[in-house]
């Protein structure tokens, strides 16, 4: 009966992990500081209406205190990825309501990430093959993208949105938020990262406008500012998050003055009383090298509300970021693809399963909802 004495204690005492303690986001209590990062997986079919697979996928991962949905199109114009989900019709809202319900049953909170691809889209995704839109008529320089028929195509030159059209896009964001609220989402995250439409407006690399939405840092921020304001007609500020990627090179982004641009944006957002700022501070998704990277510590100097860090975190680096006070939650993306029970693995100091990148973006069940939990994998051995 003495054999239990010889067991070595784990290096980190799992019970003392701050990562696994509750946290407040505005008026919401989140059960732990692990967030499911938004991951585009393209499993909602051609209708873009969330389905049974999507319900199962989010349900499996609702051990995260905060679930952030995959990027979800706010309008037909905002589409640009095969079989990604939307939130611009009542039917889509009803589909999402079932996902929300499944997540709420596990005592987790869920935010819908609102997305418009802008110049990162392709005419084949647009109604009547219309030209894609952006802040300016500048194409993404890069290896191209997959069109609506799954063919690799070069990036197209977008049409610059007219000054009078920009408020219509802002209204699309507000309408998407209304449908998200109808579905029961606890809040929404505005996707201002990764070279999609909002990021395109923020950075001079893609925005050479001469109207009120271009030129100065304040003008380039205006589009995001108007979206944040419009959504407050639906959700209070403390139920709205914003995601930014000041370091990102994805979709041909990164500008020399990103410190000025994002410093201005974060300071402006700090006055709003948001649920959180979601910073893609890690460099593992591609770093533009046009200026020094912006860290969570840099963001913390400008933003007093909750901050979510993201990209390439491990349990222990996440814990360190939270202990430092620079982050309140950490979002995990790729680890959650193949570890639906990620929190359980963190709690019990268990190894993580590797994922198969070949099925990250396919359209079937395989590589989506068939990754076993640790206990399921053990019982098969």
């Amino acid at each position: 009966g003495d054999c239990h004495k010889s067991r070595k204690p784990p290096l980190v005492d799992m019970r003392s992990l701050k990562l696994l303690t509750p946290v407040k986001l505005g008026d919401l209590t989140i059960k732990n500081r692990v967030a499911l990062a938004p991951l585009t997986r393209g499993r909602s079919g051609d209708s873009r209406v969330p389905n049974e697979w999507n319900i199962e996928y989010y349900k499996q991962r609702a051990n995260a205190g905060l679930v952030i949905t995959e990027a979800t199109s706010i309008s037909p114009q905002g589409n640009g990825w095969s079989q990604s989900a939307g939130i611009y019709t009542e039917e889509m809202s009803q589909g999402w309501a079932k996902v929300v319900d499944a997540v709420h049953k596990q005592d987790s909170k869920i935010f819908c990430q609102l997305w418009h691809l802008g110049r990162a889209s392709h005419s084949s995704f647009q109604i009547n093959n219309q030209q894609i839109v952006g802040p300016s008529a500048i194409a993404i320089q890069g290896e191209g993208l997959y069109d609506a028929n799954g063919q690799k195509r070069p990036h197209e030159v977008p049409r610059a949105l007219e000054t009078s059209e920009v408020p219509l896009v802002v209204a699309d964001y507000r309408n998407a938020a209304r449908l998200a609220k109808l579905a029961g989402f606890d809040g929404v995250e505005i996707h201002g990262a990764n070279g999609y439409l909002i990021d395109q407006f923020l950075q001079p690399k893609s925005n050479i406008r001469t109207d009120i939405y271009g030129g100065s840092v304040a003008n380039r921020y205006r589009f995001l500012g108007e979206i944040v304001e419009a959504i407050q007609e639906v959700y209070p500020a403390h139920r709205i998050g914003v995601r930014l990627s000041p370091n990102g090179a994805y979709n041909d982004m990164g500008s020399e003055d990103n410190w000025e641009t994002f410093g201005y944006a974060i300071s402006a957002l700090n006055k709003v009383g948001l649920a959180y700022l979601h910073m893609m501070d890690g460099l593992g998704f591609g770093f533009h090298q046009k200026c020094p990277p912006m860290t969570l510590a840099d963001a913390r100097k400008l933003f007093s509300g909750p901050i979510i860090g993201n990209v390439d975190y491990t349990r222990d680096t996440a814990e360190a970021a939270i202990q430092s006070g620079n982050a309140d939650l950490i979002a995990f993306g790729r680890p959650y693809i193949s570890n639906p029970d990620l929190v359980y693995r963190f709690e019990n100091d268990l190894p993580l399963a590797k994922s198969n990148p070949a099925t990250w973006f396919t359209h079937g069940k395989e590589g989506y909802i068939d990754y076993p939990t640790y206990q399921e994998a053990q019982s098969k051995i």
Side-chain angles (χ1 to χ4, degrees):
D2 285 342
C3 62
H4 67 274
K5 283 182 186 161
S6 64
R7 278 191 60 190
K8 283 203 183 96
L11 295 172
V12 184
D13 180 5
M14 295 315 118
R15 283 160 308 193
S16 69
L17 277 179
K18 197 169 179 193
L19 181 63
L20 302 179
T21 61
V23 63
K24 294 279 279 189
L25 292 183
D27 60 340
L28 295 171
T29 301
I30 311 293
K31 68 185 178 184
N32 59 48
R33 295 162 184 266
V34 174
L36 169 62
L39 293 166
T40 296
R41 303 297 308 281
R43 290 336 201 263
S44 294
D46 293 331
S47 72
R48 302 188 184 277
V49 176
N51 55 39
E52 294 303 318
W53 291 355
N54 304 146
I55 297 167
E56 180 61 23
Y57 171 80
Y58 286 105
K59 187 170 141 191
Q60 288 172 350
R61 287 157 185 78
N63 47 82
L66 177 65
V67 170
I68 307 169
T69 69
E70 62 209 87
T72 304
S73 304
I74 60 158
S75 64
Q77 184 194 67
N79 285 326
W81 195 288
S82 284
Q83 302 190 26
S84 67
I87 183 80
Y88 49 85
T89 67
E90 304 279 336
E91 193 189 2
M92 288 166 173
S93 179
Q94 285 158 12
W96 276 118
K98 294 174 188 158
V99 172
V100 169
D101 198 39
V103 170
H104 281 164
K105 282 199 172 104
Q106 295 188 62
D107 196 28
S108 285
K109 303 292 187 260
I110 180 167
F111 277 45
C112 185
Q113 196 197 49
L114 305 181
W115 192 29
H116 188 309
L117 282 95
R119 69 171 189 165
S121 182
H122 187 268
S123 56
S124 59
F125 290 103
Q126 302 296 317
I127 294 169
N128 302 328
N129 293 316
Q130 283 165 355
Q131 193 177 357
I132 56 172
V133 299
S136 302
I138 303 170
I140 291 174
Q141 299 301 306
E143 58 193 59
L145 78 171
Y146 289 98
D147 70 8
N149 308 307
Q151 302 299 310
K152 197 81 191 245
R153 300 270 186 223
H155 285 284
E156 297 172 336
V157 177
R159 173 177 73 75
L161 285 162
E162 300 289 340
T163 306
S164 59
E165 287 179 291
V166 178
L168 305 177
V169 181
V170 172
D172 285 341
Y173 275 94
R174 182 176 54 228
N175 184 55
R178 180 185 67 81
L179 290 167
K181 194 168 188 195
L182 201 63
F185 280 106
D186 297 295
V188 291
E189 175 174 297
I190 299 165
H191 194 347
N194 295 347
Y196 297 116
L197 187 62
I198 293 170
D199 201 15
Q200 291 159 28
F201 267 87
L202 286 171
Q203 297 193 42
K205 175 120 201 233
S206 41
N207 181 349
I208 54 165
R209 299 176 74 91
T210 53
D211 65 357
I212 58 166
Y213 295 103
S216 70
V217 172
N219 275 359
R220 284 184 271 123
Y221 172 76
R222 190 186 304 273
F223 179 53
L224 173 54
E226 287 180 356
I227 291 166
V228 170
E229 216 164 285
I231 291 176
Q232 285 178 78
E233 293 168 32
V234 180
Y235 280 103
H238 60 256
R239 296 298 190 93
I240 302 169
V242 174
R243 191 184 211 209
L244 298 174
S245 56
N247 306 323
Y250 186 72
N251 278 325
D252 188 26
M253 297 307 286
S255 305
E256 282 77 9
D257 72 347
N258 269 16
W259 268 80
E260 200 191 338
T261 299
F262 288 95
Y264 181 94
I266 293 167
S267 302
L269 292 169
N270 190 45
K271 300 186 182 100
V272 179
L274 294 175
Y276 61 80
L277 171 68
H278 185 174
M279 271 277 289
M280 295 182 71
D281 60 295
L283 307 182
F285 199 58
F287 172 42
H288 56 67
Q289 299 180 318
K290 300 279 180 70
C291 58
M294 197 177 241
T295 65
L296 291 182
D298 298 321
R300 176 51 84 210
K301 287 180 191 131
L302 305 170
F303 194 83
S304 54
I307 293 178
I308 303 179
N310 176 234
V311 187
D312 278 349
Y313 279 91
T314 64
R315 184 198 66 195
D316 296 350
T317 59
E319 178 66 12
I322 289 168
Q323 291 283 358
S324 74
N326 292 329
D328 300 272
L329 294 89
I330 296 293
F332 294 88
R334 282 166 280 194
Y336 251 125
I337 292 176
S338 49
N339 297 275
D341 58 339
L342 190 64
V343 169
Y344 177 82
R345 292 183 194 237
F346 283 170
E347 266 168 348
N348 295 285
D349 206 22
L350 299 168
L352 300 190
K354 292 209 173 2
S355 71
N356 173 14
T359 54
W360 285 359
F361 304 120
T362 46
H363 299 307
K365 257 196 291 207
E366 189 197 347
Y368 186 57
I369 51 175
D370 60 356
Y371 283 106
T373 63
Y374 184 80
Q375 285 159 310
E376 286 165 352
Q378 290 306 106
S379 68
K380 283 180 189 142
I381 291 167

